[in-house]
Amino acid sequence: MGPKPTMPSSGDLYRSRLDQILDPRHALFRLAALIDWDRFDEEFGRFYRPLGRPAKPTRLMVGLSYLQHTFNLSDEAVVQRWIENPYYQWFCGCEYFQHQLPCDPSSLTRWRKRLGPDGLESLLAATIQAGLDSGAVLPSSLERISVDTTVQPKAITYPTDAKLYLKALQALVRQAKRHGLELRQTHTRLAKRAAVQVGRYAHARQMRRMRRELKRLKIYLGRVYR
């Protein structure tokens, strides 16, 4: 079920509103007034079903996502800091200071999966539009964008001898099957086990055993090659 609509508060006699005690010159306070929060209710309303428990407010989830990305925080860290920081709470749409967790940290993961890449692009577009409206970003700055991909983590694997032997053996077996050549023994199962043992022995600093398995792997490759 979608989030309940936020109704204007009539005020609390015993508590002060956050906008009365916070500095209006703070960056998060000013940014909260620049973002069009209503657009997210319209765009993300299609992700909710008509039945079930009411979801968390859309502004709360969007605000937590912005804070998490801006300050490089995990799901658990951004929720914990939300309790301690009144500017975080005002940015997420709270009128009074809250003393309880806004949501379970796992809810942020499920919410991002629900939005998908298109929804996350909408969040980015809203920040760019806020920067253009405030004058912090000039239209000329968006004419050319430079992306540095060297800082992105990648699954890097180094071409060790064992990996190269195993890869060459598997390639020869595939080519033999493609051209209809019958091999008396492919050694693929034994070679894979030997390659695993090479890595284990190298990690344990047992170099003599590692070289023995590496020699065995090289023999398997030679047999298939011949």
Side-chain angles (χ1 to χ4, degrees):
M1 185 176 180
K4 294 182 178 180
T6 55
M7 304 299 294
S9 176
S10 58
D12 193 334
L13 181 62
Y14 302 100
R15 292 193 300 173
S16 300
R17 291 172 53 89
L18 288 176
D19 56 350
Q20 297 176 355
I21 60 177
L22 298 181
D23 184 8
R25 296 171 296 179
H26 194 274
L28 290 178
F29 194 97
R30 298 169 57 188
L31 182 59
L34 295 174
I35 298 178
D36 184 12
W37 301 100
D38 295 334
R39 62 175 292 183
F40 299 121
D41 292 326
E42 300 176 358
E43 292 184 9
F44 302 152
R46 55 188 174 88
F47 295 111
Y48 298 99
R49 297 180 179 179
L51 301 177
R53 186 179 62 179
K56 295 294 182 180
T58 305
R59 177 171 178 176
L60 172 64
M61 305 305 291
V62 173
L64 289 175
S65 300
Y66 280 147
L67 295 173
Q68 182 181 10
H69 179 73
T70 303
F71 299 100
N72 194 19
L73 301 174
S74 62
D75 294 342
E76 293 79 7
V78 69
V79 171
Q80 291 294 335
R81 291 194 183 185
W82 189 89
I83 304 178
E84 305 170 356
N85 198 323
Y87 289 99
Y88 281 18
Q89 298 187 12
W90 174 258
F91 182 76
C92 294
C94 296
E95 297 181 355
Y96 299 95
F97 190 81
Q98 306 294 324
H99 301 275
Q100 297 179 353
L101 292 176
C103 63
D104 190 85
S106 60
S107 299
L108 292 173
T109 304
R110 292 191 294 269
W111 190 76
R112 287 193 299 267
K113 291 182 179 179
R114 180 179 299 176
L115 294 185
D118 295 337
L120 297 179
E121 289 181 1
S122 299
L123 299 183
L124 178 61
T127 57
I128 296 176
Q129 186 62 40
L132 293 174
D133 296 340
S134 62
V137 178
L138 299 177
S140 58
S141 302
L142 303 177
E143 295 178 357
R144 180 179 180 181
I145 300 177
S146 300
V147 180
D148 185 8
T149 60
T150 58
V151 298
Q152 296 181 357
K154 295 181 175 62
I156 300 176
T157 176
Y158 294 96
T160 59
D161 292 341
K163 293 179 182 179
L164 292 176
Y165 286 153
L166 179 61
K167 189 175 181 180
L169 187 144
Q170 293 175 345
L172 290 176
V173 172
R174 286 196 302 267
Q175 291 295 331
K177 291 182 179 180
R178 182 178 302 176
H179 294 282
L181 299 178
E182 294 184 1
L183 299 176
R184 186 172 58 180
Q185 191 172 0
T186 60
H187 298 287
T188 54
R189 182 176 58 85
L190 297 176
K192 186 179 296 184
R193 183 180 181 277
V196 172
Q197 291 298 113
V198 168
R200 291 178 178 177
Y201 288 144
H203 180 72
R205 299 296 180 182
Q206 300 178 4
M207 299 304 175
R208 181 176 297 178
R209 294 181 176 179
M210 182 200 72
R211 287 192 290 268
R212 184 185 61 192
E213 295 295 331
L214 190 60
K215 182 179 179 181
R216 183 176 300 173
L217 187 61
K218 186 177 180 181
I219 292 175
Y220 293 153
L221 175 60
R223 289 177 181 176
V224 176
Y225 176 75
R226 288 189 296 269

